[in-house]
Amino acid sequence: MGKLGKFQAIVTWEQRKLGELITEHSELVTGYHFPIATSARTGLFFQAEYFDKGRSDINEGVIFHVVPKNFVTYRHMSDDSIFHFNKNTFDTPVQVSREYPVFTNNDKVNLDFLVQNLNFSGSFLKFSKMQKRGGTRTRLYYKVLQQYRISVPEVDEQDEISGFMKKIDKTIALHERKLELMKVLKKAYLQQLFPKNGDKTPHLRFAGFSDDWEQRKSKIVFNSVTEKGHPNLPVVSVTQEKGIIFRKEMDRDLKFNKKNLGTYKVIHPNDFVISLRSFQGGFEVSKILGITSPAYTVFSFKYPNNHSISFWKFYFKKYNFVQMLKIVTYGIRDGRSISYADFASLSLTYPLKNEQEKIGKILEKVAVLIAANEHKLDILYELRRAYSQKLFV
C-alpha cells in the first residue's frame, strides 16, 4: 500500500464493515424546502443547473430525501456497475430523490477519505460489480453498501491521505473549469464569426473586411469524390468525438471483411466526409490518408486554392449548419447517411479566402488550447487513478 509523510513504516490497516463507520440519514420532506439536487458522476448539482431549466415533472406532492451539509449521497442504480458518491459541499441542505441513500460518518473514519476510497479504489469497484443480479442495471441499496469490507488506517493517516488526494482533485477542478471556459469561448466565436441564418455578414469581423459574404449552393463549391481500388491503404473510422482516425486506434475491435477493401472509398487529407451521424454533429475533415466504408460520402473543394480548409472545418460543425442538416433529413431514420444530393442543394454563406483564413486561424488557436487542456486533464485523471491504487487497499 502507498504511504505518505510520517507514515512510511509498514502498518497493517484494519478491515471493517462499512456499516460500522457510517450512519444512514433518513430525513424525508414533501415539496420544496431546500434546493433540489442531482447526484451524478461529475458531482452534486442543483437540478435547475443540471437540467438547464429544471424539471417540469416535479410537483408539490413529491417526497425527497434531505442531504444535510457535509453528508454523502449517491445514485443507487448504475448501467455499468460504477457508482459515484457525492458529499454535499453547498452552503445549504439539499433535496434529492428519495431513492438516493444518504449517510454520514462516525469518528472512526475521515469522510473525505471514505468518499475518495469508494469512488476510486479497485476493491470497491469489484464489490460493485458483484452486485449485478441480471437485467441491465446494477442496484446498490444502503443495506448492501453497509456490508462492504473496507480497509482503513488510523484516522490521522486517513487525514493525510485525504488531504493529498484533495489537492489533486482541486487541480483537476481548476483545469475542468478552464476547459469549460475555453469551450464557451469557442461557442461564442462560432456564433459571432459566422452570419446568422438569412444574414450576409457576421456580427464580429476582422479589421479591413466589410463586404457581404457570398451565397452559393454547395454544389458550386464542392465536388463529390469516389475513388476505390486501393485495398492496401489503412482503414479509417469516422467518429463524432475524435474525427477521422485509423481504425486500429479505436477503443473497440470493429470487424470487417478484408475481401471487400477494394470497394472502400479513399479519403485524402483535407477531404470532407458525411457519416451516418452527420445529422447529429456535422461533417468531418480528414488529416490522414486511408479508406473507409462505401456507405460514407466523400467530397472536396472544386477550387482548393480559393478556400481555407480550417474555415470550412468549423463551418460544418457550427450549430446553425447542423440544424440545417436536420431539416434536410427530416423524417429519415436514425443511422441513414445524408446523400451528397441532400448536401448539394443547401445554400452556403461564406467570405473570400483571406477572411476565411483569419476566421479559421483564430478558431484553430482555440481548438489547440482546448486539446492541450484536455490532454492535461487526461494526465491528471491518470495520476489520480494511479495514486488511488497505491493509497487505497
Side-chain angles (χ1 to χ4, degrees), residues 309-369:
I309 191 69
S310 292
F311 171 85
W312 287 102
K313 178 177 76 173
F314 292 106
Y315 188 105
F316 291 140
K317 286 290 185 179
K318 65 189 182 80
Y319 176 80
N320 287 348
F321 179 76
V322 175
Q323 293 305 113
M324 188 161 44
L325 291 180
K326 290 181 180 179
I327 295 173
V328 170
T329 58
Y330 178 78
I332 291 180
R333 291 187 306 162
D334 179 48
R336 175 179 161 186
S337 179
I338 302 164
S339 70
Y340 182 75
D342 295 327
F343 168 61
S345 66
L346 297 178
S347 292
L348 306 176
T349 304
Y350 57 92
L352 297 176
K353 183 179 181 180
N354 51 357
E355 189 172 0
Q356 289 183 28
E357 290 174 336
K358 292 276 189 180
I359 294 170
K361 185 176 181 180
I362 193 169
L363 289 173
E364 289 285 9
K365 285 183 177 180
V366 176
V368 167
L369 289 174

Side-chain angles (χ1 to χ4, degrees), residues 146-160:
Q146 292 181 94
Q147 303 306 311
Y148 172 62
R149 301 191 68 85
I150 180 173
S151 295
V152 293
E154 296 295 328
V155 173
D156 52 354
E157 186 173 358
Q158 295 178 32
D159 293 342
E160 184 156 335

Side-chain angles (χ1 to χ4, degrees), residues 100-347:
Y100 292 4
V102 181
F103 64 86
T104 189
N105 62 314
N106 59 31
D107 60 2
K108 296 181 177 64
V109 69
N110 176 303
L111 187 60
D112 291 317
F113 170 89
L114 177 62
V115 170
Q116 291 159 354
N117 194 312
L118 295 176
N119 283 338
F120 301 115
S121 71
S123 58
F124 183 73
L125 177 59
K126 182 179 180 181
F127 172 81
S128 299
K129 290 182 176 180
M130 290 172 60
Q131 308 315 311
K132 191 171 180 63
R133 298 289 186 264
T136 58
R137 289 186 168 184
T138 304
R139 288 169 170 77
L140 183 63
Y141 297 107
Y142 181 79
K143 64 180 181 181
V144 177
L145 177 68
Q146 292 181 94
Q147 303 306 311
Y148 172 62
R149 301 191 68 85
I150 180 173
S151 295
V152 293
E154 296 295 328
V155 173
D156 52 354
E157 186 173 358
Q158 295 178 32
D159 293 342
E160 184 156 335
I161 291 173
S162 172
F164 177 77
M165 295 299 294
K166 284 171 75 173
K167 288 180 181 178
I168 297 178
D169 287 340
K170 184 177 180 180
T171 303
I172 288 174
L174 289 172
H175 279 281
E176 287 176 336
R177 178 58 179 159
K178 184 178 179 181
L179 178 60
E180 181 183 343
L181 291 173
M182 288 178 184
K183 289 182 176 180
V184 170
L185 176 63
K186 179 182 175 182
K187 183 178 179 180
Y189 273 139
L190 288 171
Q191 290 175 340
Q192 299 295 317
L193 291 171
F194 293 91
K196 295 181 180 179
N197 289 340
D199 293 344
K200 293 184 178 181
T201 57
H203 179 75
L204 181 64
R205 301 194 79 173
F206 292 94
F209 299 102
S210 59
D211 293 341
D212 286 351
W213 286 21
E214 296 183 38
Q215 289 184 321
R216 297 285 187 274
K217 293 287 187 182
S218 301
K219 61 186 177 182
I220 303 299
V221 183
F222 299 99
N223 269 329
S224 176
V225 178
T226 302
E227 181 183 352
K228 301 180 180 180
H230 296 275
N232 294 323
L233 287 176
V235 178
V236 302
S237 292
V238 184
T239 72
Q240 290 287 312
E241 299 79 19
K242 299 179 180 180
I244 299 174
I245 60 175
F246 293 116
R247 184 163 293 187
K248 64 183 181 181
E249 297 174 359
M250 293 286 288
D251 295 332
R252 59 188 187 278
D253 183 23
L254 298 176
K255 304 296 183 183
F256 56 92
N257 190 337
K258 293 184 178 181
K259 294 180 180 180
N260 295 331
L261 292 181
T263 67
Y264 276 37
K265 293 182 179 179
V266 176
I267 300 177
H268 290 274
N270 296 339
D271 279 350
F272 295 94
V273 179
I274 304 174
S275 74
L276 300 177
R277 296 289 176 181
S278 286
F279 66 94
Q280 294 177 327
F283 301 159
E284 306 300 329
V285 62
S286 183
K287 296 180 180 179
I288 56 179
L289 173 65
I291 54 176
T292 193
S293 166
Y296 294 153
T297 298
V298 182
F299 66 93
S300 61
F301 296 116
K302 280 188 173 182
Y303 306 103
N305 293 335
N306 293 346
H307 295 280
S308 161
I309 191 69
S310 292
F311 171 85
W312 287 102
K313 178 177 76 173
F314 292 106
Y315 188 105
F316 291 140
K317 286 290 185 179
K318 65 189 182 80
Y319 176 80
N320 287 348
F321 179 76
V322 175
Q323 293 305 113
M324 188 161 44
L325 291 180
K326 290 181 180 179
I327 295 173
V328 170
T329 58
Y330 178 78
I332 291 180
R333 291 187 306 162
D334 179 48
R336 175 179 161 186
S337 179
I338 302 164
S339 70
Y340 182 75
D342 295 327
F343 168 61
S345 66
L346 297 178
S347 292

